[in-house]
Amino acid sequence: MPENMVRTFEQPDARREFSNGTLDLIKIGPLTFGRETLEPGWRWSVDVKPLAGTERCEFHHVGLQISGRWACEDRDGNLIEVGPGDIFDIPPGHDAWVVGDEQSVTLDFQGIADWALRSTTARVLTTVAFVDIVGSTALIERIGDGAWRRLLDQYREGTAIVLTAHAGILVDTAGDGILARFDSPTAAVRAAIGIGEIGERLGIQTRAGIHTGEVELSDDGLSGLAVHVGARVVAEAGQGEIVVTATTHALTHDAGFAYEPRGPVELRGVSGPRELYALHRG
């Protein structure tokens, strides 16, 4: 029979010290609670980024602010401020800093067990490909949920075959979209073409966005600016289109592909315009 338990941060299971702050950790069963004590002037991108090895904090934090204040900015530039008594839910991909001259004390319920640890991820050059299904809601309304599930299963089976043929690795599935990575940018473009053809045979329309850059590779998947850029590029593609960045274009233009310039495009949450190219499939 489980026993009653009372723990205190005055006797933590572990303490992590880093520039301008400390983190005390307590484990109760499968749960880990953390108390962050951050000094005035602390900022994640200065004091924790060297440990994390990522451009932004990629942890999902849920917690309660005890004292002091801190601010948080997400990838899109949205800014919030957290003060005493506030309960917060902060998605991955943010920077944060202490506001004012008062020490900040925070109790974290989630996203803290591995926070402020030196990263064990590897930074590698890869090509990321995002492929989305276009108009899925209208298709579901027309054919019904059961038929859609069967159709989606066939599409995913075909997608897996295409990825294997082009040495692609499936990283994530979100809704009816996929994220895959490739060692070869040419293979990524050919795979996107193949997935589009699988969809067309099934009556499914797709769009794809491809970018080549450095990513943080770990057991949990991919992270880093290159992944964020790829996600924004697919949003610029129309039905049936494959859109690539200038980097991918430069590495594949001798592979027999023809592209149509899209000109410099401002991608939401990405600094500076990016040259994009749409694959010509005529």
Side-chain angles (χ1 to χ4, degrees), residues 129-133 155 159 176-180 191-192 195-196 206-209 234:
F130 286 83
V131 183
D132 288 342
I133 294 176
Y155 170 74
T159 295
D176 50 31
I178 69 162
L179 164 60
I195 293 171
T206 64
R207 62 178 182 172
V234 72

Side-chain angles (χ1 to χ4, degrees), residues 148-159:
W148 166 248
R149 284 194 298 271
R150 291 189 291 272
L151 191 63
L152 189 59
D153 286 343
Q154 293 177 65
Y155 170 74
R156 287 175 172 167
E157 288 174 4
T159 295

Side-chain angles (χ1 to χ4, degrees), residues 169-256:
I169 298 173
L170 181 64
V171 176
D172 192 18
T173 57
D176 50 31
I178 69 162
L179 164 60
R181 66 179 180 90
F182 301 81
D183 291 336
S184 162
T186 298
V189 175
R190 288 176 176 158
I193 294 172
I195 293 171
E197 291 173 346
I198 290 288
E200 288 172 1
R201 289 198 291 271
L202 294 171
I204 292 173
Q205 297 298 319
T206 64
R207 62 178 182 172
I210 302 175
H211 175 56
T212 304
E214 286 193 336
V215 301
E216 297 287 342
L217 180 62
S218 70
D219 293 339
D220 296 327
L222 300 182
S223 62
L225 181 61
V227 180
H228 185 59
V229 170
R232 296 308 189 198
V233 171
V234 72
E236 298 295 325
Q239 179 176 303
E241 287 189 328
I242 298 171
V243 176
V244 307
T245 59
T247 309
T248 303
H249 172 262
L251 294 170
T252 60
H253 77 281
D254 290 333

Side-chain angles (χ1 to χ4, degrees), residues 75-119:
R75 286 191 177 99
D76 296 329
N78 299 312
L79 185 67
I80 64 168
E81 188 168 308
V82 179
D86 289 342
I87 295 175
F88 55 85
D89 184 337
I90 307 296
H94 56 270
D95 190 13
W97 58 91
V98 171
V99 175
D101 298 326
E102 183 181 354
Q103 189 182 68
S104 171
V105 180
T106 304
L107 178 62
D108 278 273
F109 310 129
Q110 179 176 315
I112 202 66
D114 296 323
W115 191 78
L117 284 175
R118 188 165 297 278
S119 173

